[in-house]
Each structure stands twice: as C-alpha cells, then as structure tokens.
Amino acid sequence: MELSREFMDEIRPMVGVLMLRLGRNFDGGYVVPQLALSECDVLISLGYGYDSSFEREFLKLNRKKSVDLYDSNINIQSSVERLFLDLRSVIFRGRGFPVFRSKQLLEYLVVLFNQRINYKVGKIGHINDSKCLNLVDTLKASAYKKIILKMDIEGSEYESLDLDLHHLERFQCLIIEFHDIESRIDEFLTITKNIKRDFILINTHINNFAPIVKGVPEVIELCFIRSSLIAKENLKRAESIPHPNDLPCDPSKPEIVYRY
C-alpha cells in the first residue's frame, strides 16, 4: 500500500549528524548519533526480548559506562520453564532439540552476569499505574545526569511518554519504537510534537515486519537528539528514508523506502 504523504512529512528526519549502527543486523539493531554516545553517562533500555546486542555494543564503545535494562517478564524462572516445556516435547512428542530456547536462556545469563548491566524485571507502563514502572521510576533509580533512552515496549510507549516534558530533561537521545500507529495516530502525533520542542528527529526507520494500514506504517523506529547538542545550520531535511546504515528488521523482505 502507498504511504501517506501527509503522515510521512510528519516523520521526516533531519540529516547531517554522524550515525552509527549498534546491535544485530536485523530487528534489535538501531542507528544512533555518535555524538550522543560520547555525551551520555548511561543507557536506559526499556524492553529487550532476549536480545541484548544493542546494549552490549553500547558497552563495547563506552568502556566506563553502564546500562540500566528493564523487561516485564524475562527472569530466570520464566526462561528455565520455557526451556523445560520444550524439552518435554522433545521427550514425549519426538520434536527436535529446542535450540531457540537454549539460546534465550544463554542470552539471559549473559545479561544477568554482566557487571555493567543493571537488569530489573518490571512492566513499563502508565505513570499513574501503581503496578507499572515508568520513566519517572527509572529516572529516580538512576543517579546519572545525561542519559540515552531506548524504548521498545510493544505499545506501552504511549502511556510511558504521557508526561510533562521536564521529565525528559536528562535525556540526550531518545530511540523509540512506536507500535499500532494507525489506531493511535492522535496520541502518536501529540507525543512526537511534544518531543520535538526540545529534540530533533534525526532518523526514521519503518519496521518491515508490520503492515501499512491506510497509508500509515504500523511500527516505526524514531531517533531524536537534544536540540542543544547540535548546530542546526549543519542539518537539512532528509531526501529519503531509511538511513544508509539501517537494515531491514525482517531480512527476508526488502526495506520500506520512501523518497520525499
């Protein structure tokens, strides 16, 4: 389906900032500004889904920095239980060895025993929901003043970002994957407009796992940098997306390209 020109103009990024790709070469990797990597003190990462390649590459580039990592349902009990259930299928149903589950457990243990990753289990959600963690909670838990935020929490980003802008003042860079955009278009536009008061959109990547509905991509990765970090005269509007360093989230399908 053809993309809506009106919507694509709303997410047109500025270019002129040196960008690096961190993470694996499909879903789970993101393109980020090199400047923010040097300016930040810590990465706060919300949601990782058994893929910490982005966080681990951040640590490789920043030997003296750390990661605060959150996810809602990944812990040693759930990881072992999933592996055990698949092993039962091997024994009683003759299925093949669950390599995938084994890799998940190994990935969790890599995170758990990395001394530079502070991992916490918790659902990220609405600021007024006592059962959820939110950006205010994560900021209270962090003593750092300059933060990169990566958020991939499967739709809860809307509730998490529904807060006063002063809560964002410690963030130097925001990497956010927005979901269900067509059905939540008003929320999406309101939140991104508010973010742009203090940040500049410098990368837009359409997730090709998800469909396009009524001309609007259902899942989009956006990267913002704090306006005060860069000289605006060095920027210009992108002529096309994605960025050359981006790669398709689903490597079996072509990238979704848009030319302005």
Side-chain angles (χ1 to χ4, degrees), residues 94-107:
R95 294 182 178 176
F97 184 79
V99 175
F100 175 69
R101 293 298 187 193
S102 302
K103 288 182 177 179
Q104 284 187 337
L105 178 57
L106 179 61
E107 170 66 30

Side-chain angles (χ1 to χ4, degrees), residues 10 14 33 41 53 90 116 121 140 146 156 164 166 171 173-174 179 201 205 236 240 255:
E10 293 286 346
M14 304 296 287
D41 301 315
S53 59
V90 173
R116 294 169 63 200
V121 178
K140 287 179 179 178
K146 295 183 178 181
S156 293
D164 294 334
H166 74 273
F171 293 118
C173 177
L174 309 173
H179 303 77
L201 177 61
H205 182 239
K236 62 179 182 179
S240 65
E255 276 279 38

Side-chain angles (χ1 to χ4, degrees), residues 46-96:
L46 308 183
Y48 89 105
Y50 289 110
D51 175 17
S52 62
S53 59
F54 177 83
E55 290 77 14
R56 286 185 280 111
E57 288 200 13
F58 169 84
L59 293 176
K60 286 181 181 179
L61 291 175
N62 299 274
R63 296 290 181 180
K64 297 182 179 180
K65 299 177 183 179
S66 60
V67 173
D68 290 346
L69 180 60
Y70 296 78
D71 203 282
S72 62
N73 59 3
I74 297 178
N75 53 51
I76 189 64
Q77 180 178 345
S78 64
S79 301
V80 171
E81 284 180 352
R82 290 167 182 168
L83 177 59
F84 178 73
L85 288 173
D86 281 1
L87 286 173
R88 286 187 61 186
S89 296
V90 173
I91 298 171
F92 296 107
R93 299 182 184 179
R95 294 182 178 176

Side-chain angles (χ1 to χ4, degrees), residues 36-240:
L37 295 174
S38 60
E39 287 287 328
C40 76
D41 301 315
V42 67
L43 166 65
I44 292 181
S45 182
L46 308 183
Y48 89 105
Y50 289 110
D51 175 17
S52 62
S53 59
F54 177 83
E55 290 77 14
R56 286 185 280 111
E57 288 200 13
F58 169 84
L59 293 176
K60 286 181 181 179
L61 291 175
N62 299 274
R63 296 290 181 180
K64 297 182 179 180
K65 299 177 183 179
S66 60
V67 173
D68 290 346
L69 180 60
Y70 296 78
D71 203 282
S72 62
N73 59 3
I74 297 178
N75 53 51
I76 189 64
Q77 180 178 345
S78 64
S79 301
V80 171
E81 284 180 352
R82 290 167 182 168
L83 177 59
F84 178 73
L85 288 173
D86 281 1
L87 286 173
R88 286 187 61 186
S89 296
V90 173
I91 298 171
F92 296 107
R93 299 182 184 179
R95 294 182 178 176
F97 184 79
V99 175
F100 175 69
R101 293 298 187 193
S102 302
K103 288 182 177 179
Q104 284 187 337
L105 178 57
L106 179 61
E107 170 66 30
Y108 172 73
L109 294 175
V110 166
V111 166
L112 190 64
F113 291 107
N114 190 318
Q115 295 183 348
R116 294 169 63 200
I117 296 178
N118 177 28
Y119 180 63
K120 297 181 180 180
V121 178
K123 178 175 174 55
I124 309 298
H126 200 280
I127 188 171
N128 295 320
D129 188 342
S130 60
K131 297 180 181 179
C132 292
L133 296 170
N134 52 67
L135 283 184
V136 177
D137 296 324
T138 59
L139 287 171
K140 287 179 179 178
S142 176
Y144 296 100
K145 295 182 178 180
K146 295 183 178 181
I147 300 168
I148 291 180
L149 173 70
K150 189 215 80 176
M151 179 180 288
D152 182 5
I153 49 179
E154 307 303 321
S156 293
E157 60 274 7
Y158 296 97
E159 289 77 19
S160 296
L161 292 165
D162 183 20
L163 41 70
D164 294 334
L165 283 179
H166 74 273
H167 290 300
L168 300 179
E169 62 188 10
R170 289 161 64 188
F171 293 118
Q172 308 303 301
C173 177
L174 309 173
I175 306 151
I176 307 169
E177 184 167 275
F178 286 94
H179 303 77
D180 309 316
I181 295 175
E182 193 278 329
S183 62
R184 306 186 72 167
I185 187 71
D186 291 338
E187 293 173 90
F188 173 82
L189 293 176
T190 297
I191 287 171
T192 52
K193 181 179 180 180
N194 287 339
I195 291 174
K196 287 178 184 177
R197 293 177 186 175
D198 294 311
F199 293 82
I200 296 173
L201 177 61
I202 54 171
N203 197 53
T204 298
H205 182 239
I206 299 173
N207 188 321
N208 68 339
F209 268 115
I212 295 170
V213 180
K214 298 179 182 178
V216 175
E218 279 291 87
V219 181
I220 300 177
E221 301 162 1
L222 299 181
C223 180
F224 302 86
I225 191 170
R226 182 164 290 282
S227 303
S228 59
L229 292 181
I230 54 178
K232 297 181 181 63
E233 60 269 19
N234 295 333
L235 301 177
K236 62 179 182 179
R237 296 199 295 174
E239 297 181 358
S240 65

